[in-house]
Amino acid sequence: MRILLAEDEPVLADQIRSVMKSEGRVVDVAPNGIEAQFLAETEPYDVIILDIGLPERDGITVLKHLRATGVDTPVIILTARNDWSDRVDGLDAGADDYLTKPFHMPELSARVRAMIRRKAGQTNPVFHKDDVSFDSRNNQVTVSGIPKNLTAQEVAVLSYLFHNSGRLVSRTELSEHIYQFDGDRDSNTIAVFVNRLRKKLGNDLIETVRGRGYVIKAAA
Ligand code: CA
């Protein structure tokens, strides 16, 4: 899952990025409103974390613009504790959730997970397909109850396919959601990750639609 973080405080931005990274997400950081808006309009993010107090263009203005131009990516706004009116303006401008500064990182992580689940139409944080289960809270994967060790990239591919169960996902789309903006994107490596996942989790989980992409069929 790929996240846009619009935050101008470098220390906080670094903290959030490293926490998200440790949870298997890739993060693009925009230090001002203009860059945030540009990235949000041109790159496919799964969640946007948007500070309201941004230089050059404030977060509310950015958000209004995104919603007006049809960008429907889930947005969590970050507001100052005392600015309750920012939260009202933000929610009315199309934010899906908010967090007041300062906050605890596990709360932000949980809100991001919930948002990604909601977008996927999932209420249960644990995904199941036959004997494979994937717990999106801690990225634990088991086959018939036996834990499997996956690399960060294998988890990223599996998580994206599970969150999009029942839908055909192309290699290009997958690579757009597991690599960051300046990342070395190579959609051929996706096939390598899928092959490794099959070796670890069985051949039936991820189906290939020749020339088009991959799908995890929705659990019956
Ligand atoms: Ca700020």
Side-chain angles (χ1 to χ4, degrees):
M1 297 292 168
R2 188 166 165 212
I3 290 173
L4 172 62
L5 170 61
E7 171 58 67
D8 58 309
E9 292 168 43
V11 175
L12 180 60
D14 269 359
Q15 271 179 324
I16 296 175
R17 172 159 48 185
S18 71
V19 168
M20 291 295 141
K21 214 176 150 192
S22 74
E23 292 169 351
R25 311 191 194 289
V26 287
V27 180
D28 294 332
V29 178
N32 62 64
I34 289 176
E35 211 172 313
Q37 190 177 313
F38 172 75
L39 284 172
E41 283 174 345
T42 52
E43 295 290 317
Y45 293 102
D46 296 294
V47 171
I48 298 170
I49 301 169
L50 179 65
D51 181 32
I52 289 305
L54 285 176
E56 293 180 42
R57 189 170 295 165
D58 70 273
I60 302 280
T61 305
V62 171
L63 182 54
K64 281 184 180 160
H65 198 91
L66 292 179
R67 293 314 189 216
T69 53
V71 176
D72 64 353
T73 313
V75 171
I76 303 174
I77 52 171
L78 306 179
T79 69
R81 180 174 288 265
N82 296 320
D83 285 344
W84 64 269
S85 61
D86 274 357
R87 298 197 282 282
V88 173
D89 290 348
L91 290 167
D92 280 344
D96 300 274
D97 199 0
Y98 68 86
L99 209 50
T100 57
K101 291 179 176 180
F103 51 83
H104 295 283
M105 286 298 160
E107 184 174 0
L108 178 61
S109 295
R111 287 178 186 275
V112 167
R113 284 195 296 276
M115 198 126 292
I116 290 171
R117 273 204 313 275
R118 212 175 298 154
K119 196 189 173 197
Q122 285 278 340
T123 46
N124 189 345
V126 185
F127 293 76
H128 298 280
K129 176 75 168 83
D130 302 328
D131 53 354
V132 179
S133 78
F134 167 67
D135 189 335
S136 62
R137 292 166 297 188
N138 52 20
N139 291 337
Q140 290 266 344
V141 180
T142 64
V143 178
S144 303
I146 299 161
K148 297 287 171 180
N149 269 324
L150 301 188
T151 65
Q153 280 152 326
E154 289 162 7
V155 166
V157 169
L158 186 68
S159 175
Y160 193 79
L161 288 175
F162 258 127
H163 280 88
N164 291 279
S165 292
R167 188 170 73 76
L168 178 73
V169 179
S170 71
R171 283 184 192 179
T172 307
E173 179 180 342
L174 262 174
S175 64
E176 281 174 343
H177 288 266
I178 71 166
Y179 295 117
Q180 60 198 55
F181 186 58
D182 50 2
D184 196 10
R185 268 183 225 165
D186 178 0
S187 63
N188 289 320
T189 58
I190 299 288
V192 176
F193 298 144
V194 169
N195 280 335
R196 287 200 214 134
L197 283 168
R198 286 190 175 130
K199 282 202 180 101
K200 292 180 182 180
L201 309 178
N203 283 325
D204 300 335
L205 177 67
I206 301 170
E207 292 181 31
T208 300
V209 180
R210 191 173 287 276
R212 296 181 61 205
Y214 305 101
V215 62
I216 292 181
K217 294 240 169 97

